[in-house]
Amino acid sequence: IASQGFLGFCLAGHLLFESRIRVLPTLSHPETLRLQPSAFITDEQIDTFLEAVDHVCAILERDRGDQLIGFLCADEGVRFAKAEETVKGSTSARSARIARIRPTRPQRASVIPPYAGRVAFLGHFIRPGHLRHWDPGLGDFDDDALARFVDRTHRLLEPYVSDGAIIESVVGERVHMSFIGIPITPMQIHRAFENGNIRWVEEKILEGVRLGRRQGASLVGMGGYTSILTGQGTRVSEDRVGITSGNAMTVAMGVEALIRTAKDVKIDLSTARLGALGATGNICSLYAQMMAELVPKIALIGRPHMESRLRRVAGEVYFETYKVVRRAGDKKLRGLAKVLQGTETFKQVLSAEADLDRIGTSIYNWISNEMGDDAPITIHSDPSGLKDCNLIVAASSFPGPVIFPQHLGPGPRVICDLALPEDTSPEVLAQRPDVKVIRGGIVKLPNNPDLELAGVPLEPGCVFACMAETLLLGLSRINEHFSWGRVTKPHVEAIRDLATYHGFTLSRPSMTSVL
Protein backbone atom coordinates (compact mmCIF):
# COMPACT_ATOMS: atom_id res chain seq x y z
CA ILE A 1 0.00 0.00 0.00
CA ALA A 2 2.74 2.42 0.96
CA SER A 3 4.99 1.61 -2.01
CA GLN A 4 2.13 2.32 -4.43
CA GLY A 5 1.36 5.75 -2.96
CA PHE A 6 -1.75 4.91 -0.96
CA LEU A 7 -0.43 5.20 2.60
CA GLY A 8 -2.02 8.62 3.11
CA PHE A 9 -5.43 7.31 2.08
CA CYS A 10 -5.00 4.29 4.36
CA LEU A 11 -4.14 6.58 7.29
CA ALA A 12 -7.17 8.74 6.52
CA GLY A 13 -9.44 5.68 6.46
CA HIS A 14 -7.98 4.42 9.71
CA LEU A 15 -8.53 7.77 11.45
CA LEU A 16 -12.10 7.96 10.18
CA PHE A 17 -13.25 4.48 11.10
CA GLU A 18 -11.20 4.03 14.27
CA SER A 19 -11.42 7.54 15.74
CA ARG A 20 -14.19 9.39 13.85
CA ILE A 21 -11.70 11.96 12.56
CA ARG A 22 -12.08 13.03 8.94
CA VAL A 23 -8.91 14.05 7.06
CA LEU A 24 -7.75 13.50 3.49
CA PRO A 25 -4.40 13.51 1.69
CA THR A 26 -3.54 16.47 -0.48
CA LEU A 27 -3.84 15.99 -4.23
CA SER A 28 -0.27 17.14 -4.88
CA HIS A 29 1.34 14.92 -2.23
CA PRO A 30 -0.78 11.90 -1.24
CA GLU A 31 1.36 11.14 1.84
CA THR A 32 0.55 14.55 3.37
CA LEU A 33 -2.69 14.74 5.36
CA ARG A 34 -4.65 17.99 5.08
CA LEU A 35 -6.09 19.30 8.36
CA GLN A 36 -9.10 21.64 8.07
CA PRO A 37 -10.62 22.01 11.54
CA SER A 38 -13.73 24.03 12.20
CA ALA A 39 -13.35 27.40 13.95
CA PHE A 40 -15.65 25.95 16.62
CA ILE A 41 -13.35 23.00 17.47
CA THR A 42 -13.13 22.33 21.21
CA ASP A 43 -10.12 21.57 23.38
CA GLU A 44 -11.56 18.13 24.00
CA GLN A 45 -11.76 17.45 20.25
CA ILE A 46 -8.18 18.67 19.80
CA ASP A 47 -7.04 16.25 22.51
CA THR A 48 -8.95 13.44 20.79
CA PHE A 49 -7.25 14.26 17.49
CA LEU A 50 -3.75 14.40 19.01
CA GLU A 51 -4.32 11.11 20.78
CA ALA A 52 -5.47 9.47 17.53
CA VAL A 53 -2.48 10.80 15.57
CA ASP A 54 -0.13 9.63 18.34
CA HIS A 55 -1.73 6.19 18.10
CA VAL A 56 -1.24 6.09 14.30
CA CYS A 57 2.39 7.14 14.66
CA ALA A 58 2.94 4.32 17.16
CA ILE A 59 1.42 1.85 14.68
CA LEU A 60 3.82 3.02 11.97
CA GLU A 61 6.82 3.06 14.30
CA ARG A 62 6.19 -0.53 15.39
CA ASP A 63 5.34 -1.73 11.87
CA ARG A 64 1.87 -2.91 12.88
CA GLY A 65 0.29 -2.86 9.45
CA ASP A 66 -2.38 -5.26 10.69
CA GLN A 67 -3.66 -2.54 13.04
CA LEU A 68 -3.56 0.02 10.25
CA ILE A 69 -5.74 -1.97 7.82
CA GLY A 70 -8.22 -3.24 10.39
CA PHE A 71 -10.98 -1.00 9.04
CA LEU A 72 -10.55 -2.58 5.59
CA CYS A 73 -11.08 -6.04 7.08
CA ALA A 74 -14.10 -5.24 9.26
CA ASP A 75 -17.65 -6.15 8.37
CA GLU A 76 -19.54 -3.14 7.01
CA GLY A 77 -22.22 -3.33 9.68
CA VAL A 78 -19.83 -3.19 12.63
CA ARG A 79 -17.17 -0.73 11.46
CA PHE A 80 -18.80 2.39 12.88
CA ALA A 81 -19.90 0.60 16.05
CA LYS A 82 -16.28 -0.41 16.57
CA ALA A 83 -15.16 3.17 15.94
CA GLU A 84 -17.53 4.49 18.62
CA GLU A 85 -16.16 1.98 21.11
CA THR A 86 -12.58 2.92 20.21
CA VAL A 87 -13.17 6.65 20.64
CA LYS A 88 -14.49 6.03 24.15
CA GLY A 89 -11.50 3.86 25.07
CA SER A 90 -8.61 5.09 27.17
CA THR A 91 -5.21 6.02 25.79
CA SER A 92 -3.53 3.17 27.72
CA ALA A 93 -6.01 0.63 26.34
CA ARG A 94 -5.39 1.74 22.77
CA SER A 95 -1.62 1.67 23.25
CA ALA A 96 -1.81 -1.85 24.62
CA ARG A 97 -3.26 -3.02 21.31
CA ILE A 98 0.02 -2.24 19.52
CA ALA A 99 2.48 -3.25 22.22
CA ARG A 100 2.88 -6.77 20.87
CA ILE A 101 5.78 -7.24 18.44
CA ARG A 102 4.57 -7.96 14.94
CA PRO A 103 5.55 -11.42 13.63
CA THR A 104 7.65 -11.28 10.46
CA ARG A 105 9.16 -13.72 8.00
CA PRO A 106 12.86 -14.54 8.17
CA GLN A 107 14.87 -12.39 5.78
CA ARG A 108 16.96 -14.10 3.11
CA ALA A 109 20.23 -12.82 1.68
CA SER A 110 19.50 -10.47 -1.20
CA VAL A 111 22.91 -10.57 -2.94
CA ILE A 112 22.46 -12.08 -6.40
CA PRO A 113 25.54 -13.82 -7.85
CA PRO A 114 26.61 -12.13 -11.12
CA TYR A 115 26.53 -15.43 -12.98
CA ALA A 116 23.01 -16.39 -11.87
CA GLY A 117 20.09 -16.50 -14.27
CA ARG A 118 17.21 -14.09 -13.64
CA VAL A 119 13.55 -15.04 -13.91
CA ALA A 120 10.24 -13.81 -12.53
CA PHE A 121 7.08 -15.69 -11.68
CA LEU A 122 3.55 -14.31 -11.52
CA GLY A 123 1.21 -15.65 -8.87
CA HIS A 124 -1.89 -14.71 -6.93
CA PHE A 125 -3.47 -15.76 -3.65
CA ILE A 126 -5.31 -19.06 -3.97
CA ARG A 127 -7.53 -18.12 -1.04
CA PRO A 128 -7.80 -14.92 1.03
CA GLY A 129 -6.60 -16.85 4.10
CA HIS A 130 -3.21 -17.30 2.44
CA LEU A 131 -2.45 -13.66 3.21
CA ARG A 132 -1.51 -14.94 6.67
CA HIS A 133 1.16 -17.11 5.07
CA TRP A 134 2.41 -14.12 3.08
CA ASP A 135 2.45 -11.83 6.16
CA PRO A 136 2.44 -13.58 9.58
CA GLY A 137 1.47 -10.23 11.10
CA LEU A 138 -2.06 -10.78 9.77
CA GLY A 139 -2.59 -13.77 12.05
CA ASP A 140 -5.37 -12.11 14.03
CA PHE A 141 -7.65 -11.88 10.97
CA ASP A 142 -9.87 -14.79 9.97
CA ASP A 143 -10.57 -15.82 6.36
CA ASP A 144 -13.71 -13.70 6.07
CA ALA A 145 -11.88 -10.59 7.27
CA LEU A 146 -9.06 -11.09 4.78
CA ALA A 147 -11.58 -11.73 1.99
CA ARG A 148 -13.11 -8.33 2.76
CA PHE A 149 -9.66 -6.73 2.60
CA VAL A 150 -8.92 -8.23 -0.82
CA ASP A 151 -12.39 -7.34 -2.13
CA ARG A 152 -11.89 -3.69 -1.11
CA THR A 153 -8.37 -3.33 -2.52
CA HIS A 154 -7.93 -5.66 -5.50
CA ARG A 155 -9.00 -3.21 -8.20
CA LEU A 156 -6.78 -0.48 -6.77
CA LEU A 157 -3.52 -2.24 -5.93
CA GLU A 158 -1.02 -3.13 -8.67
CA PRO A 159 1.37 -6.10 -8.93
CA TYR A 160 4.26 -6.02 -6.46
CA VAL A 161 7.45 -7.94 -5.68
CA SER A 162 6.20 -10.36 -3.05
CA ASP A 163 9.37 -12.37 -2.47
CA GLY A 164 12.65 -13.44 -4.03
CA ALA A 165 14.99 -16.38 -3.75
CA ILE A 166 18.14 -17.92 -5.24
CA ILE A 167 17.64 -21.52 -6.40
CA GLU A 168 20.58 -23.90 -6.98
CA SER A 169 20.56 -27.11 -9.01
CA VAL A 170 22.61 -30.27 -8.47
CA VAL A 171 25.03 -29.23 -11.22
CA GLY A 172 25.85 -25.92 -9.48
CA GLU A 173 23.77 -23.60 -11.68
CA ARG A 174 21.88 -20.81 -9.91
CA VAL A 175 18.89 -18.68 -10.76
CA HIS A 176 17.29 -15.78 -8.95
CA MET A 177 13.51 -15.67 -9.02
CA SER A 178 11.42 -12.58 -8.30
CA PHE A 179 7.97 -13.65 -7.14
CA ILE A 180 5.53 -11.06 -8.51
CA GLY A 181 2.24 -10.97 -6.60
CA ILE A 182 -1.06 -10.10 -8.28
CA PRO A 183 -3.39 -9.05 -5.40
CA ILE A 184 -6.47 -10.97 -6.56
CA THR A 185 -8.07 -14.37 -5.91
CA PRO A 186 -9.68 -16.93 -8.24
CA MET A 187 -13.12 -15.96 -6.96
CA GLN A 188 -12.63 -12.35 -8.07
CA ILE A 189 -11.39 -13.53 -11.46
CA HIS A 190 -14.45 -15.76 -11.77
CA ARG A 191 -16.73 -12.81 -10.98
CA ALA A 192 -14.98 -10.79 -13.67
CA PHE A 193 -15.71 -13.59 -16.15
CA GLU A 194 -19.37 -13.68 -15.12
CA ASN A 195 -19.65 -9.90 -15.52
CA GLY A 196 -17.97 -9.98 -18.92
CA ASN A 197 -15.22 -7.65 -17.73
CA ILE A 198 -11.79 -9.23 -17.50
CA ARG A 199 -9.85 -6.47 -19.20
CA TRP A 200 -8.72 -5.01 -15.88
CA VAL A 201 -7.36 -8.42 -14.84
CA GLU A 202 -5.44 -8.78 -18.11
CA GLU A 203 -3.95 -5.32 -17.59
CA LYS A 204 -2.74 -6.28 -14.11
CA ILE A 205 -1.11 -9.42 -15.52
CA LEU A 206 0.64 -7.41 -18.23
CA GLU A 207 1.88 -4.93 -15.63
CA GLY A 208 3.17 -7.90 -13.60
CA VAL A 209 5.16 -9.11 -16.62
CA ARG A 210 6.64 -5.65 -17.08
CA LEU A 211 7.51 -5.45 -13.38
CA GLY A 212 9.35 -8.76 -13.72
CA ARG A 213 11.30 -7.36 -16.65
CA ARG A 214 12.21 -4.28 -14.60
CA GLN A 215 13.54 -6.66 -11.94
CA GLY A 216 16.01 -7.97 -14.52
CA ALA A 217 14.18 -11.15 -15.54
CA SER A 218 14.76 -12.52 -19.01
CA LEU A 219 11.90 -15.04 -18.61
CA VAL A 220 8.53 -14.72 -16.86
CA GLY A 221 6.44 -17.69 -15.73
CA MET A 222 2.65 -17.53 -15.50
CA GLY A 223 1.14 -19.09 -12.38
CA GLY A 224 -2.44 -19.96 -11.52
CA TYR A 225 -5.11 -18.12 -13.47
CA THR A 226 -2.60 -15.77 -15.11
CA SER A 227 -1.84 -18.50 -17.65
CA ILE A 228 -5.51 -19.25 -18.34
CA LEU A 229 -6.45 -15.60 -18.81
CA THR A 230 -3.63 -14.91 -21.26
CA GLY A 231 -4.10 -17.97 -23.47
CA GLN A 232 -0.95 -19.59 -22.01
CA GLY A 233 0.90 -16.30 -22.46
CA THR A 234 -0.04 -15.70 -26.09
CA ARG A 235 -1.98 -12.52 -25.28
CA VAL A 236 0.88 -10.88 -23.37
CA SER A 237 2.05 -7.99 -25.53
CA GLU A 238 5.58 -7.81 -24.16
CA ASP A 239 8.26 -9.12 -26.51
CA ARG A 240 11.34 -8.25 -24.45
CA VAL A 241 11.08 -11.30 -22.19
CA GLY A 242 10.36 -14.97 -22.73
CA ILE A 243 7.03 -16.31 -21.49
CA THR A 244 6.19 -19.76 -20.19
CA SER A 245 2.91 -21.07 -18.80
CA GLY A 246 4.37 -23.92 -16.74
CA ASN A 247 1.94 -26.38 -18.31
CA ALA A 248 4.65 -28.75 -19.60
CA MET A 249 6.15 -29.37 -16.16
CA THR A 250 2.69 -29.61 -14.61
CA VAL A 251 1.84 -32.45 -16.98
CA ALA A 252 5.23 -34.16 -16.63
CA MET A 253 5.08 -34.30 -12.83
CA GLY A 254 1.38 -35.10 -12.70
CA VAL A 255 1.66 -38.07 -15.04
CA GLU A 256 4.55 -39.45 -12.99
CA ALA A 257 2.58 -38.96 -9.76
CA LEU A 258 -0.49 -40.67 -11.18
CA ILE A 259 1.46 -43.70 -12.42
CA ARG A 260 3.37 -44.14 -9.15
CA THR A 261 0.30 -43.79 -6.95
CA ALA A 262 -1.74 -46.17 -9.10
CA LYS A 263 0.96 -48.77 -8.52
CA ASP A 264 0.94 -48.08 -4.76
CA VAL A 265 -2.81 -48.72 -4.45
CA LYS A 266 -2.67 -51.66 -6.88
CA ILE A 267 -4.67 -50.19 -9.77
CA ASP A 268 -3.82 -52.11 -12.95
CA LEU A 269 -3.18 -49.56 -15.69
CA SER A 270 -3.94 -52.12 -18.40
CA THR A 271 -7.60 -52.23 -17.30
CA ALA A 272 -7.94 -48.73 -15.81
CA ARG A 273 -10.24 -45.95 -16.93
CA LEU A 274 -8.95 -42.37 -16.81
CA GLY A 275 -11.29 -39.48 -16.07
CA ALA A 276 -10.05 -36.10 -17.31
CA LEU A 277 -11.97 -33.30 -15.59
CA GLY A 278 -11.47 -29.99 -17.37
CA ALA A 279 -10.63 -31.84 -20.57
CA THR A 280 -11.03 -28.81 -22.84
CA GLY A 281 -8.03 -27.18 -21.16
CA ASN A 282 -4.51 -27.68 -22.50
CA ILE A 283 -3.25 -29.45 -19.37
CA CYS A 284 -6.02 -32.02 -19.11
CA SER A 285 -6.14 -32.77 -22.83
CA LEU A 286 -2.39 -33.34 -22.83
CA TYR A 287 -2.77 -35.66 -19.83
CA ALA A 288 -5.28 -37.69 -21.81
CA GLN A 289 -2.86 -37.95 -24.74
CA MET A 290 0.00 -39.18 -22.56
CA MET A 291 -2.03 -41.53 -20.37
CA ALA A 292 -3.60 -43.04 -23.50
CA GLU A 293 -0.29 -44.85 -23.97
CA LEU A 294 -1.01 -46.78 -20.75
CA VAL A 295 -4.78 -46.97 -20.14
CA PRO A 296 -7.40 -48.40 -22.55
CA LYS A 297 -10.35 -46.14 -21.70
CA ILE A 298 -10.75 -42.40 -21.12
CA ALA A 299 -13.69 -40.24 -20.06
CA LEU A 300 -13.42 -36.57 -21.05
CA ILE A 301 -15.44 -34.27 -18.78
CA GLY A 302 -16.19 -30.62 -19.50
CA ARG A 303 -18.85 -28.06 -18.75
CA PRO A 304 -22.33 -28.20 -20.31
CA HIS A 305 -22.61 -26.93 -23.89
CA MET A 306 -18.92 -27.77 -24.56
CA GLU A 307 -19.57 -31.08 -26.29
CA SER A 308 -18.11 -29.91 -29.61
CA ARG A 309 -14.83 -28.94 -27.92
CA LEU A 310 -14.77 -32.25 -26.07
CA ARG A 311 -15.21 -34.09 -29.37
CA ARG A 312 -12.27 -32.13 -30.76
CA VAL A 313 -10.13 -33.15 -27.77
CA ALA A 314 -11.19 -36.78 -28.27
CA GLY A 315 -10.10 -36.49 -31.90
CA GLU A 316 -6.71 -35.16 -30.81
CA VAL A 317 -6.22 -38.09 -28.42
CA TYR A 318 -7.22 -40.56 -31.11
CA PHE A 319 -4.88 -38.93 -33.64
CA GLU A 320 -1.89 -39.07 -31.26
CA THR A 321 -2.73 -42.70 -30.53
CA TYR A 322 -3.08 -43.45 -34.24
CA LYS A 323 0.45 -42.14 -34.80
CA VAL A 324 1.72 -44.43 -32.02
CA VAL A 325 0.10 -47.44 -33.70
CA ARG A 326 1.49 -46.46 -37.11
CA ARG A 327 5.03 -46.22 -35.72
CA ALA A 328 4.84 -49.38 -33.62
CA GLY A 329 5.25 -51.98 -36.35
CA ASP A 330 5.56 -55.35 -34.63
CA LYS A 331 6.08 -53.75 -31.23
CA LYS A 332 3.66 -54.81 -28.49
CA LEU A 333 1.20 -52.02 -27.74
CA ARG A 334 -0.53 -50.97 -24.52
CA GLY A 335 -3.46 -48.82 -23.50
CA LEU A 336 -5.65 -47.10 -26.05
CA ALA A 337 -3.23 -47.93 -28.85
CA LYS A 338 -3.84 -51.64 -28.27
CA VAL A 339 -7.61 -51.13 -28.38
CA LEU A 340 -7.47 -48.99 -31.51
CA GLN A 341 -5.21 -51.42 -33.32
CA GLY A 342 -7.83 -54.16 -33.08
CA THR A 343 -10.76 -52.20 -34.50
CA GLU A 344 -12.21 -52.09 -37.99
CA THR A 345 -12.00 -48.32 -37.71
CA PHE A 346 -8.18 -48.45 -37.65
CA LYS A 347 -8.08 -50.55 -40.82
CA GLN A 348 -10.57 -48.22 -42.49
CA VAL A 349 -8.61 -45.09 -41.57
CA LEU A 350 -5.32 -46.69 -42.59
CA SER A 351 -6.63 -47.41 -46.06
CA ALA A 352 -8.28 -43.98 -46.50
CA GLU A 353 -5.61 -41.91 -44.72
CA ALA A 354 -4.63 -39.83 -47.75
CA ASP A 355 -8.23 -38.72 -48.35
CA LEU A 356 -9.06 -37.68 -44.78
CA ASP A 357 -8.86 -34.03 -43.72
CA ARG A 358 -8.99 -34.77 -39.98
CA ILE A 359 -7.91 -38.25 -39.06
CA GLY A 360 -8.69 -37.87 -35.36
CA THR A 361 -12.23 -36.65 -36.01
CA SER A 362 -12.83 -39.52 -38.45
CA ILE A 363 -11.62 -42.04 -35.89
CA TYR A 364 -13.91 -40.57 -33.22
CA ASN A 365 -16.96 -40.72 -35.47
CA TRP A 366 -16.28 -44.15 -36.94
CA ILE A 367 -15.28 -45.85 -33.71
CA SER A 368 -18.38 -44.45 -31.99
CA ASN A 369 -20.50 -46.06 -34.72
CA GLU A 370 -18.54 -49.30 -34.48
CA MET A 371 -18.48 -49.72 -30.69
CA GLY A 372 -21.32 -47.51 -29.44
CA ASP A 373 -21.31 -47.10 -25.66
CA ASP A 374 -18.21 -49.33 -25.48
CA ALA A 375 -16.07 -46.81 -27.39
CA PRO A 376 -12.77 -46.29 -25.55
CA ILE A 377 -13.21 -42.49 -25.33
CA THR A 378 -16.46 -41.01 -24.04
CA ILE A 379 -17.45 -37.40 -23.39
CA HIS A 380 -19.53 -36.05 -20.51
CA SER A 381 -20.85 -32.65 -19.47
CA ASP A 382 -20.81 -33.10 -15.69
CA PRO A 383 -18.66 -34.83 -13.03
CA SER A 384 -20.99 -37.86 -12.87
CA GLY A 385 -18.94 -39.13 -15.81
CA LEU A 386 -16.23 -39.97 -13.27
CA LYS A 387 -18.30 -42.76 -11.73
CA ASP A 388 -16.53 -45.57 -13.62
CA CYS A 389 -13.06 -43.97 -13.51
CA ASN A 390 -10.47 -45.29 -11.06
CA LEU A 391 -7.83 -42.76 -12.19
CA ILE A 392 -8.81 -39.09 -12.29
CA VAL A 393 -6.97 -35.96 -13.38
CA ALA A 394 -8.65 -32.79 -12.16
CA ALA A 395 -7.62 -29.47 -13.70
CA SER A 396 -10.74 -27.36 -14.08
CA SER A 397 -10.76 -23.56 -13.93
CA PHE A 398 -13.75 -23.37 -11.56
CA PRO A 399 -12.90 -21.47 -8.33
CA GLY A 400 -14.32 -24.11 -6.01
CA PRO A 401 -14.73 -27.88 -5.52
CA VAL A 402 -16.50 -29.86 -8.25
CA ILE A 403 -15.72 -33.47 -7.26
CA PHE A 404 -17.91 -34.75 -4.42
CA PRO A 405 -18.30 -38.27 -2.95
CA GLN A 406 -21.41 -39.00 -5.03
CA HIS A 407 -19.38 -38.59 -8.22
CA LEU A 408 -17.02 -41.46 -7.36
CA GLY A 409 -17.51 -45.19 -7.70
CA PRO A 410 -16.20 -47.78 -5.22
CA GLY A 411 -12.46 -47.71 -4.55
CA PRO A 412 -9.64 -47.81 -4.87
CA ARG A 413 -9.54 -44.46 -6.65
CA VAL A 414 -6.70 -42.00 -7.31
CA ILE A 415 -7.35 -38.32 -7.94
CA CYS A 416 -4.45 -36.22 -9.18
CA ASP A 417 -5.72 -32.73 -8.33
CA LEU A 418 -3.89 -29.99 -10.21
CA ALA A 419 -6.46 -27.23 -9.82
CA LEU A 420 -5.92 -24.14 -7.65
CA PRO A 421 -8.17 -23.96 -5.68
CA GLU A 422 -8.62 -27.73 -5.60
CA ASP A 423 -11.36 -29.47 -7.56
CA THR A 424 -11.72 -32.10 -4.84
CA SER A 425 -14.20 -31.35 -2.08
CA PRO A 426 -13.02 -31.78 1.54
CA GLU A 427 -15.96 -34.19 1.88
CA VAL A 428 -14.08 -36.68 -0.32
CA LEU A 429 -11.12 -36.62 2.07
CA ALA A 430 -13.41 -37.05 5.07
CA GLN A 431 -15.80 -39.70 3.72
CA ARG A 432 -13.76 -41.77 1.27
CA PRO A 433 -10.65 -43.37 2.84
CA ASP A 434 -10.42 -45.59 -0.25
CA VAL A 435 -9.77 -42.53 -2.43
CA LYS A 436 -6.18 -41.34 -2.65
CA VAL A 437 -5.96 -37.64 -3.48
CA ILE A 438 -2.55 -36.34 -4.49
CA ARG A 439 -1.13 -32.98 -5.43
CA GLY A 440 0.53 -34.06 -8.63
CA GLY A 441 1.90 -30.67 -9.52
CA ILE A 442 4.37 -30.33 -6.62
CA VAL A 443 8.15 -30.43 -7.18
CA LYS A 444 10.94 -30.88 -4.63
CA LEU A 445 14.00 -28.65 -5.06
CA PRO A 446 17.40 -30.39 -4.77
CA ASN A 447 19.43 -27.79 -2.82
CA ASN A 448 16.90 -25.49 -1.16
CA PRO A 449 15.30 -27.70 1.51
CA ASP A 450 14.29 -24.78 3.75
CA LEU A 451 12.81 -22.55 1.06
CA GLU A 452 9.36 -21.15 1.89
CA LEU A 453 8.03 -18.50 -0.47
CA ALA A 454 5.69 -15.92 0.98
CA GLY A 455 2.07 -16.72 0.22
CA VAL A 456 2.83 -20.18 -1.22
CA PRO A 457 1.19 -22.74 1.10
CA LEU A 458 3.54 -25.66 0.48
CA GLU A 459 5.98 -27.75 2.47
CA PRO A 460 9.52 -26.30 2.81
CA GLY A 461 11.70 -26.97 -0.20
CA CYS A 462 8.74 -27.48 -2.54
CA VAL A 463 7.28 -25.39 -5.36
CA PHE A 464 4.40 -25.77 -7.76
CA ALA A 465 5.32 -27.48 -11.03
CA CYS A 466 4.54 -24.38 -13.09
CA MET A 467 7.04 -22.44 -10.97
CA ALA A 468 9.56 -25.27 -11.28
CA GLU A 469 9.37 -24.97 -15.07
CA THR A 470 10.29 -21.29 -14.85
CA LEU A 471 13.23 -22.12 -12.57
CA LEU A 472 14.47 -24.93 -14.83
CA LEU A 473 14.43 -22.69 -17.89
CA GLY A 474 16.31 -20.00 -15.93
CA LEU A 475 18.90 -22.52 -14.73
CA SER A 476 19.36 -23.65 -18.33
CA ARG A 477 19.53 -20.05 -19.63
CA ILE A 478 16.58 -20.62 -21.96
CA ASN A 479 15.11 -17.16 -22.44
CA GLU A 480 12.70 -17.62 -25.33
CA HIS A 481 9.02 -18.62 -25.10
CA PHE A 482 8.61 -22.24 -24.00
CA SER A 483 5.18 -23.43 -22.82
CA TRP A 484 3.63 -20.64 -24.83
CA GLY A 485 0.29 -21.33 -26.42
CA ARG A 486 -0.76 -24.93 -26.80
CA VAL A 487 1.75 -27.26 -25.16
CA THR A 488 2.60 -30.55 -26.89
CA LYS A 489 4.16 -33.84 -25.85
CA PRO A 490 7.66 -32.77 -27.02
CA HIS A 491 7.47 -29.82 -24.58
CA VAL A 492 6.68 -32.24 -21.75
CA GLU A 493 9.53 -34.56 -22.68
CA ALA A 494 12.01 -31.66 -22.95
CA ILE A 495 11.19 -30.16 -19.55
CA ARG A 496 11.23 -33.63 -17.98
CA ASP A 497 14.80 -34.09 -19.24
CA LEU A 498 15.82 -30.69 -17.79
CA ALA A 499 14.29 -31.65 -14.44
CA THR A 500 16.37 -34.83 -14.37
CA TYR A 501 19.54 -32.93 -15.26
CA HIS A 502 19.09 -30.27 -12.57
CA GLY A 503 17.85 -32.68 -9.87
CA PHE A 504 14.22 -31.53 -9.58
CA THR A 505 12.06 -34.42 -8.43
CA LEU A 506 8.42 -35.21 -7.86
CA SER A 507 6.98 -34.54 -4.43
CA ARG A 508 3.76 -36.46 -3.84
CA PRO A 509 2.31 -35.49 -0.47
CA SER A 510 -1.21 -36.86 -0.15
CA MET A 511 -3.87 -34.27 0.51
CA THR A 512 -5.13 -34.60 4.08
CA SER A 513 -6.68 -31.13 3.77
CA VAL A 514 -7.07 -28.46 1.14
CA LEU A 515 -4.26 -25.99 0.57
Side-chain angles (χ1 to χ4, degrees), residues 39-53:
F40 297 98
I41 191 169
T42 66
D43 289 346
E44 181 182 4
Q45 290 170 331
I46 291 174
D47 290 341
T48 298
F49 169 78
L50 293 174
E51 178 187 329
V53 171

Side-chain angles (χ1 to χ4, degrees), residues 78-136:
V78 302
R79 287 205 286 181
F80 277 102
K82 182 172 181 278
E84 184 67 26
E85 178 185 326
T86 303
V87 169
K88 294 178 180 178
S90 66
T91 302
S92 60
R94 298 178 71 191
S95 299
R97 291 173 56 198
I98 57 172
R100 179 170 55 87
I101 298 175
R102 172 179 173 271
T104 58
R105 299 193 309 269
Q107 296 297 309
R108 286 189 288 268
S110 58
V111 178
I112 303 174
Y115 56 86
R118 301 286 290 272
V119 298
F121 184 81
L122 269 60
H124 54 74
F125 294 113
I126 302 170
R127 292 182 174 84
H130 292 160
L131 269 77
R132 291 188 295 269
H133 190 281
W134 173 69
D135 184 354

Side-chain angles (χ1 to χ4, degrees), residues 339-391:
V339 176
L340 181 62
Q341 187 183 40
T343 63
E344 289 299 320
T345 293
F346 174 72
K347 299 175 184 177
Q348 187 178 356
V349 171
L350 193 62
S351 61
E353 182 181 86
D355 300 322
L356 297 176
D357 291 332
R358 293 184 176 274
I359 292 176
T361 301
S362 299
I363 294 175
Y364 174 80
N365 293 331
W366 294 351
I367 208 168
S368 296
N369 292 331
E370 178 183 345
M371 303 183 70
D373 293 339
D374 294 327
I377 298 181
T378 56
I379 62 173
H380 309 266
S381 58
D382 64 78
S384 61
L386 298 173
K387 201 76 173 181
D388 296 327
C389 301
N390 45 8
L391 298 178

Side-chain angles (χ1 to χ4, degrees), residues 54 61 77 125 146 154 159 169 178 209 215-216 257 290 308-309 312 319 335 344 347 351 514:
D54 185 64
E61 180 185 31
F125 294 113
L146 293 174
H154 71 282
S169 80
S178 297
V209 172
Q215 294 295 309
M290 300 197 70
S308 62
R309 292 181 62 182
R312 186 163 63 247
F319 181 56
E344 289 299 320
K347 299 175 184 177
S351 61
V514 296

Side-chain angles (χ1 to χ4, degrees), residues 183-347:
I184 52 178
T185 64
M187 185 57 70
Q188 291 159 344
I189 297 172
H190 188 65
R191 287 181 199 149
F193 266 117
E194 289 181 332
N195 297 332
N197 178 24
I198 62 168
R199 181 59 186 167
W200 64 270
V201 186
E202 294 173 340
E203 289 173 352
K204 285 188 185 293
I205 294 171
L206 178 56
E207 180 53 38
V209 172
R210 290 171 175 167
L211 177 57
R213 180 175 56 79
R214 291 196 296 272
Q215 294 295 309
S218 57
L219 181 85
V220 177
M222 315 292 282
Y225 277 60
T226 65
S227 172
I228 298 170
L229 287 172
T230 60
Q232 287 74 52
T234 56
R235 291 196 292 274
V236 174
S237 55
E238 178 60 63
D239 58 1
R240 286 171 285 184
V241 292
I243 300 292
T244 191
S245 68
N247 286 356
M249 189 65 172
T250 299
V251 173
M253 291 293 101
V255 167
E256 184 178 347
L258 197 57
I259 293 172
R260 286 191 191 180
T261 311
K263 183 178 180 181
D264 291 344
V265 300
K266 295 180 172 53
I267 293 177
D268 184 1
L269 293 179
S270 66
T271 59
R273 184 185 185 92
L274 174 74
L277 180 69
T280 55
N282 187 198
I283 289 178
C284 228
S285 63
L286 193 51
Y287 256 97
Q289 292 177 29
M290 300 197 70
M291 290 299 295
E293 299 178 10
L294 302 171
V295 300
K297 293 186 176 183
I298 298 173
L300 303 175
I301 296 99
R303 295 183 183 183
H305 314 300
M306 300 186 76
E307 287 81 1
S308 62
R309 292 181 62 182
L310 288 170
R311 286 193 290 270
R312 186 163 63 247
V313 172
E316 291 171 356
V317 176
Y318 275 130
F319 181 56
E320 290 298 323
T321 305
Y322 176 78
K323 289 190 290 185
V324 171
V325 178
R326 291 277 276 118
R327 292 193 302 263
D330 296 331
K331 185 179 177 182
K332 187 176 180 180
L333 295 172
R334 296 184 295 172
L336 181 62
K338 182 178 180 180
V339 176
L340 181 62
Q341 187 183 40
T343 63
E344 289 299 320
T345 293
F346 174 72
K347 299 175 184 177

